Amino acid sequence: MQRIARQLPLPILLLILLLIFGNTVAKADNEAESETLYLEALKAISEKRNDDAKTMLSTLIEKKPLHAGAWLDLAMLQCKLGNKEEADKVLLKMRQNLPLSEEQLYKLELWQPKSCIPAAPERRIAIAIEAGYDTNVNQGASNPFFTFGSGTEQITLQLLPEYQPKADRFASLSGNISQEINNNGTIGFAQARLRSYDSLSAYNTLALALGVEKPWKWRDYGIRGTALVSALSLGGTLYQKQEIVQLRLSPAVSQGSPWRFSTVAGFTNVQYPTLGNFDAHTWELRGLLSYETQKYQLQAGLAAMADRAHADRQGGHRTGYYGNLNLRRQLTQQSELELGWSKQIWQSAEIYSPNLIDVARRQDLQLVKAGLNWYFTDKQSLQLEFRAINNKENISILQYNSKSVQLSWQWQNF
C-alpha cells in the first residue's frame, strides 16, 4: 500500500484521502441523525403523539433497516393502538430483514402478542375543596376619602360603606377533567369552580371552562395550541365571558438539561353582558423560563400585553406588562414549600373621566403568595396558602389591598 501511495501523483492521492475522509464524516453524520430521529420518536410516544411517532419510526427503518429498536417500538406502538394486523406485519418484516439469532427469534416469538387491545384514552381528574378567609372580598378602596376637582373647587367626599373593604369567610369546590381525544396527543378538558361566602352572597362566583389542547412538532420546535371558552357568574348573574387562543413554542433542549424555555402568543376576547362598555380583547406575548432539579423547580415569566377596548371604556385602550416568579422546594418526601410573586402594570391611553378625574389610569398590581403542601397519599394532599394583593393606582378610589388564607384538600387520579 505504501509503495502504491508513493507511485500516485500528489493531487490524486489527496483526492483519494478526501473521499475516504468525506465518507467517514458522512457516515458519522448519518449515525447521529438516525439516533436523533429515534430519540424524537421515543419522545413523541411519551407525549402521546402516536401518529407522529409511527411516521418517525417508519422513516428511521427506511434509512436504517437493521435498527432493531425502531422495528420493535413500531410493533409495540401498533399493538398499543389496537392494530394487531399491522403489528404482526412489522414483526414479520423484522424477522426477514434483521440477522437474528435463534435465541432472539425465540424471545420475539414469546413476546408477540396474541391480541392487541387498544389502550383506553387517558383520563385525568382532579378535585379540590377549600375553606378560607379574605380581608377584602369586594376589593373595597384602601382610602375611604376621595378628592376631585382643582384649586378652590376641590371637593372631598367619603365613600359609602359598600365601597369600603368587607371581610368574610369562604368555601370553594373545584374540579378538572381532561381526556385524550385522538391518537396524536390532542386532549379535551373541562373545569368548574364554585366559591361561596358566609354573608356576602352577592360575591359568590361560579366559573366554567371548556377547551382543547393539541401538540405537534415543527423542525426542532415543540408546539402546543390551546383554545378555551369560559363563563363566570357573580351573585347568580352572568358577569363575564371569555374566548382564549394560545400558541406555545418550545425549542429543543439537550437531553438531561434542567432548563426549559418557551414563547407563548395569546389572544383573549372578553365580554361583560351587563357592562357592555367594558368589552375588550387582549394580545399577549410571553416568555417562560424554568429550571428543574430533583428538589427545586423555579419558573419565571415576562409578558407584554395590548388591551383594546371595544366601546367607550373609561381610559380607552391599555398597554401593560406582566412578570412572575415561582419557586417549589421539596422539604421532605411528603412536604413541599411553594413561594410566588407576580406583578402586573396597566397604562391607559386616555383620561379616565374628563372634568372629574383628569388623569390617565395607571394600575400596578402585585401578588405575593406562600404555601405548604403535604402529600399524605399518592393521590391526596393538603395545602395551606397565604396570599397578599397590593393594587396601587393613581386614582385613589380604585386602590385596594387584600389578604387571604385558605386550607385546601386535593385529590387527583394521576
Side-chain angles (χ1 to χ4, degrees):
M1 183 69 182
Q2 292 177 352
R3 184 180 301 172
I4 295 173
R6 292 193 197 100
Q7 292 174 356
L8 290 174
L10 182 60
I12 295 178
L13 180 60
L14 290 175
L15 180 59
I16 292 173
L17 292 174
L18 183 60
L19 288 172
I20 294 172
F21 178 74
N23 288 334
T24 303
V25 172
K27 185 177 180 180
D29 288 343
N30 288 335
E31 290 291 335
E33 183 181 347
S34 297
E35 188 60 25
T36 299
L37 184 58
Y38 184 53
L39 292 175
E40 287 295 329
L42 296 181
K43 183 179 179 182
I45 293 174
S46 69
E47 294 176 350
K48 310 295 183 182
R49 293 186 289 114
N50 298 316
D51 290 342
D52 290 346
K54 284 193 296 183
T55 301
M56 293 177 191
L57 291 171
S58 298
T59 301
L60 178 55
I61 288 171
E62 289 178 7
K63 292 182 176 182
K64 291 196 67 178
L66 300 181
H67 199 299
W71 283 105
L72 193 57
D73 285 324
L74 181 57
M76 293 173 65
L77 182 57
Q78 292 284 17
C79 191
K80 175 185 174 183
L81 297 174
N83 303 327
K84 176 70 164 61
E85 186 176 344
E86 292 299 324
D88 289 341
K89 286 180 181 179
V90 172
L91 292 173
L92 177 60
K93 291 181 180 179
M94 184 178 178
R95 293 188 185 93
Q96 294 171 346
N97 287 274
L98 271 63
L100 301 175
S101 66
E102 290 294 331
E103 183 180 358
Q104 289 172 327
L105 287 170
Y106 176 71
K107 289 181 178 179
L108 196 60
E109 188 70 29
L110 289 177
W111 177 85
Q112 185 162 0
K114 300 298 183 289
S115 62
C116 291
I117 301 174
E122 184 176 274
R123 178 180 297 170
R124 296 187 171 189
I125 300 174
I127 298 172
I129 300 174
E130 304 167 348
Y133 180 82
D134 192 333
T135 63
N136 192 352
V137 175
N138 60 327
Q139 298 181 359
S142 303
N143 185 353
F145 297 97
F146 175 62
T147 301
F148 63 94
S150 60
T152 58
E153 298 182 356
Q154 282 189 346
I155 299 176
T156 299
L157 300 176
Q158 184 173 1
L159 295 175
L160 294 173
E162 56 261 37
Y163 299 108
Q164 297 181 32
K166 294 182 178 296
D168 201 359
R169 293 184 297 270
F170 64 84
S172 300
L173 173 65
S174 61
N176 302 290
I177 183 170
S178 64
Q179 181 170 311
E180 295 175 322
I181 56 178
N182 69 8
N183 289 330
N184 215 33
T186 302
I187 64 170
F189 60 88
Q191 302 170 347
R193 182 181 182 87
L194 172 67
R195 172 167 288 194
S196 176
Y197 292 92
D198 278 4
S199 57
L200 301 174
S201 59
Y203 296 96
N204 291 350
T205 58
L206 173 62
L208 301 171
L210 293 172
V212 63
E213 187 174 82
K214 174 179 174 57
W216 66 91
K217 192 78 174 176
W218 178 72
R219 295 185 179 179
D220 291 332
Y221 294 90
I223 303 175
R224 189 171 292 272
T226 305
L228 171 73
V229 294
S230 68
L232 172 70
S233 73
L234 178 64
T237 302
L238 181 61
Y239 176 72
Q240 182 190 83
K241 296 188 294 182
Q242 286 191 91
E243 298 90 33
I244 301 173
V245 178
Q246 285 187 343
L247 199 62
R248 180 168 181 159
L249 185 69
S250 304
V253 295
S254 58
Q255 192 173 13
S257 173
W259 294 99
R260 297 289 185 274
F261 176 76
S262 299
T263 302
V264 179
F267 172 80
T268 302
N269 185 55
V270 185
Q271 295 175 297
Y272 295 85
T274 59
L275 301 167
N277 61 329
F278 277 34
D279 294 353
H281 65 266
T282 303
W283 295 93
E284 176 186 345
L285 184 63
R286 185 189 301 257
L288 300 172
L289 181 67
S290 67
Y291 177 85
E292 186 172 356
T293 63
Q294 187 174 0
K295 290 189 175 183
Y296 289 93
Q297 184 182 47
L298 179 65
Q299 295 178 322
L302 184 63
M305 302 173 293
D307 181 30
R308 295 295 175 256
H310 292 176
D312 296 328
R313 182 177 63 184
Q314 289 178 304
H317 299 331
R318 302 185 300 175
T319 55
Y321 300 92
Y322 176 84
N324 71 289
L325 284 171
N326 288 285
L327 171 67
R328 287 177 177 267
R329 169 70 164 91
Q330 183 179 345
L331 301 177
T332 67
Q333 290 285 359
Q334 287 79 35
S335 63
E336 179 182 72
L337 172 68
E338 183 177 356
L339 301 174
W341 168 88
S342 65
K343 188 179 184 70
Q344 180 173 282
I345 296 174
W346 283 113
Q347 177 62 59
S348 296
E350 302 172 5
I351 298 300
Y352 186 76
S353 182
N355 302 319
L356 183 63
I357 303 176
D358 289 316
V359 296
R361 181 183 178 187
R362 179 178 174 83
Q363 181 186 26
D364 184 346
L365 187 147
Q366 182 171 257
L367 166 67
V368 177
K369 65 178 182 178
L372 279 174
N373 301 324
W374 293 275
Y375 300 92
F376 50 92
T377 72
D378 291 339
K379 296 183 178 181
Q380 298 186 66
S381 65
L382 283 176
Q383 182 188 60
L384 179 63
E385 183 181 75
F386 168 80
R387 288 173 176 254
I389 296 176
N390 182 16
N391 183 53
K392 297 179 181 178
E393 302 249 4
N394 57 350
I395 301 174
S396 65
I397 56 173
L398 301 178
Q399 291 186 27
Y400 70 90
N401 297 313
S402 73
K403 296 179 178 62
S404 65
V405 61
Q406 68 179 37
L407 179 66
S408 64
W409 168 84
Q410 299 177 7
W411 175 90
Q412 56 189 26
N413 73 335
F414 53 91

